[in-house]
Amino acid sequence: MENSRRTSAQRSPHLNNPPLSLNGADTAWVLASAALVVLMTPGLAFFYGGMVRAKNVLNMMMMCFAAIPVVWVLWMAFGYSAGFGEDLGWGLLGDPAQFAGLRGLFASQNDPVPLVGTIPALVFVVFQAGFAMVTVALIAGAVADRMRFAPWIVFAALWSVLVYFPVAHWVFSPDGLTAAHGGWIVNKLKALDFAGGTAVEINSGVSGLALALVLGKRRGWPKDPMRPHNLPAVMIGAGLLWFGWFGFNAGSSLKADGVAALAFANTLAAGAVSLASWLVVERIRHGKPTSFGAASGAVAGLVAITPSCAYVTPVGALAIGAVAGVASSIAIEWKYSLGYDDSLDVVGVHLVSGLVGTLMIGLVASKSAGASQVDGLFYGGGFDQLWRQGVAALSVLCYALVVTALIGLALKAVIGLRAHPHGEAEGLDETEHAESAYDFATARGSRVSNPDS
């Protein structure tokens, strides 16, 4: 059993090749990429923290940062194994016990370093943990300003176990990567998702919608103004996310190769053109291009290129980014007409752009791209890949929507989710954490402490 596991773990991540040896360049690249992906969660904390009102900024950032320990403990205990262990049947879940406690995934004195492809298995474990962390944190944006911190911790743990770990197995576990048999979406349906359009973006976007509906609207929304309190922080956060996204996408090659190079270039292209297309729409519809729109547009493009970054040409990446910028800039206003309070537009940006990027693989995928073995509709490939992408997107969407709603309803009934009205009015920084992000009283006092100055 141990020997068969080792052989399986050493296969190439993209082809059913014989066992490979450790490659230093690949290892260095994925180590750096893992650090970039983990950085995305603090980057998201800045991005979201600047969007909320000043009285809730620390609470919002804490919800993001809390995803790191919650996910890592579960990931190390059994989550990685549930995502990447030997399939238990029908491609739905990996064996949670196979790598429990990360056993067999690190070197010892008597055994060689276990590999995933050409990199140490433990590097892959950390790399994928970063994906899980930021996916959980993304959901927090939909329930900003009104969810208590302790129930959020419980929700994050349950959602990781019941939603993210199974979906990661479906999408990220091809046969022969870490186990002989993996998930159904990548192996049986043969939908393409290079870095997480379904498992990360659609998954978090629709889960944010479900939790927001269970929680209810913010008091005073949409009548009271609830504008971002710190736009420089939003733009810093967007920059950190963009920086981390290069590791997110290009690192998913698991090699320092041409596929990584294409994913890197396409990540830059889609983010840039989506930023521009969002601003064009904003200028036409509202008369002014804004910094908030620029930050949101960049993120929309990065979301959309995530599933397709290694399957499309740079021209295809531009098309995906342009469509994502337009679609998401329009979609963020749906909440006003449909009446759901998605505080920080997780639905409009992550769900909508995730759908755009996932479905457009079926249109603009090209065999001339680094990792693609199919052509999309616009390249003469017909509708075959498009329907596969649609089934993958719809499956993840429906599963996450239903299970997240059930988790939210159960927690609402058992421990409660929502802050007390007084807490919402005073601000969650004070009521949940006994802190304030901006101590203006101290700042004012320091100016008059020396009357002779």
Side-chain angles (χ1 to χ4, degrees):
M1 178 66 182
E2 181 68 14
N3 290 336
S4 66
R5 185 198 65 74
R6 286 293 175 86
T7 301
S8 174
Q10 291 177 328
R11 294 189 185 278
S12 165
H14 297 300
L15 300 173
N16 190 23
N17 287 335
L20 301 174
S21 59
L22 179 68
N23 183 287
D26 296 343
T27 299
W29 169 236
V30 183
L31 276 169
S33 296
L36 290 172
V37 175
V38 172
L39 178 66
M40 292 177 72
T41 299
L44 183 69
F46 267 98
F47 187 64
Y48 278 174
M51 288 186 186
V52 297
R53 290 170 287 179
K55 62 185 180 179
N56 296 318
V57 56
L58 294 177
N59 176 256
M60 186 72 261
M61 298 183 81
M62 283 284 286
M63 291 174 79
C64 293
F65 270 87
I68 296 175
V70 170
V71 169
W72 177 250
V73 170
L74 294 171
W75 192 250
M76 186 177 68
F78 62 86
Y80 172 80
S81 192
F84 293 94
E86 184 66 29
D87 184 66
L88 294 177
W90 303 289
L92 297 177
L93 188 68
D95 181 357
Q98 183 174 354
F99 303 122
L102 305 185
R103 67 182 181 189
L105 296 177
F106 47 90
S108 66
Q109 291 182 347
N110 300 321
D111 293 320
V113 177
L115 302 180
V116 172
T118 59
I119 67 173
L122 206 57
V123 176
F124 181 72
V125 170
V126 176
F127 179 67
Q128 284 293 333
F131 281 62
M133 292 167 187
V134 76
T135 305
V136 172
L138 284 168
I139 301 170
V143 295
D145 294 343
R146 61 200 189 278
M147 186 170 182
R148 292 189 295 121
F149 186 68
W152 164 253
I153 298 296
V154 179
F155 170 83
L158 291 174
W159 190 88
S160 298
V161 173
L162 299 177
V163 181
Y164 186 81
F165 297 165
V167 174
H169 182 71
W170 302 354
V171 175
F172 289 147
S173 183
D175 293 346
L177 175 60
T178 57
H181 300 96
W184 73 274
I185 285 181
V186 62
N187 294 303
K188 295 180 174 62
L189 181 61
K190 298 190 182 303
L192 300 177
D193 187 349
F194 193 73
T198 51
V200 176
E201 308 301 348
I202 294 173
N203 202 6
S204 61
V206 75
S207 296
L209 174 62
L211 190 58
L213 291 174
V214 170
L215 204 59
K217 304 173 186 178
R218 288 170 289 178
R219 288 176 171 80
W221 185 88
K223 295 180 180 180
D224 297 341
M226 298 181 182
R227 293 185 291 270
H229 89 283
N230 192 328
L231 288 171
V234 173
M235 299 196 77
I236 290 171
L240 288 171
L241 284 171
W242 202 338
F243 181 56
W245 232 296
F246 289 117
F248 200 81
N249 287 353
S252 293
S253 174
L254 303 186
K255 287 179 173 289
D257 62 0
V259 174
L262 179 65
F264 199 105
N266 284 345
T267 300
L268 177 60
V273 76
S274 180
L275 186 159
S277 65
W278 186 300
L279 292 183
V280 169
V281 172
E282 199 171 46
R283 176 67 176 82
I284 293 171
R285 299 185 73 195
H286 304 296
K288 301 285 185 181
T290 66
S291 60
F292 186 72
S296 299
V299 170
L302 296 168
V303 167
I305 200 60
T306 292
S308 56
C309 56
Y311 304 128
V312 302
T313 66
V315 173
L318 292 177
I320 289 171
V323 173
V326 172
S328 285
S329 64
I330 294 172
I332 61 169
E333 298 182 12
W334 291 352
K335 63 184 181 183
Y336 298 105
S337 56
L338 297 177
Y340 64 88
D341 184 12
D342 169 20
S343 305
L344 306 183
D345 300 316
V346 179
V347 174
V349 174
H350 292 275
L351 175 58
V352 170
S353 287
L355 287 169
V356 166
T358 299
L359 296 176
M360 284 191 70
I361 292 175
L363 301 177
V364 298
S366 172
K367 290 181 180 178
S368 64
S372 180
Q373 298 179 6
V374 300
D375 285 325
L377 178 64
F378 295 167
Y379 286 81
F383 289 94
D384 183 67
Q385 195 60 42
L386 183 59
W387 76 260
R388 296 177 191 276
Q389 299 303 120
V391 171
L394 185 62
S395 299
V396 172
L397 189 154
C398 292
Y399 177 78
L401 180 68
V402 171
V403 178
T404 304
L406 292 175
I407 295 171
L409 289 170
L411 292 179
K412 184 177 181 178
V414 175
I415 63 174
L417 295 173
R418 183 129 188 185
H420 189 274
H422 173 74
E424 283 191 54
E426 185 177 350
L428 300 183
D429 288 358
E430 288 286 353
T431 58
E432 292 292 311
H433 308 288
E435 294 179 303
S436 175
Y438 308 104
D439 195 345
F440 296 114
T442 301
R444 285 194 297 269
S446 65
R447 294 193 188 102
V448 298
S449 60
N450 184 359
D452 297 326
S453 60

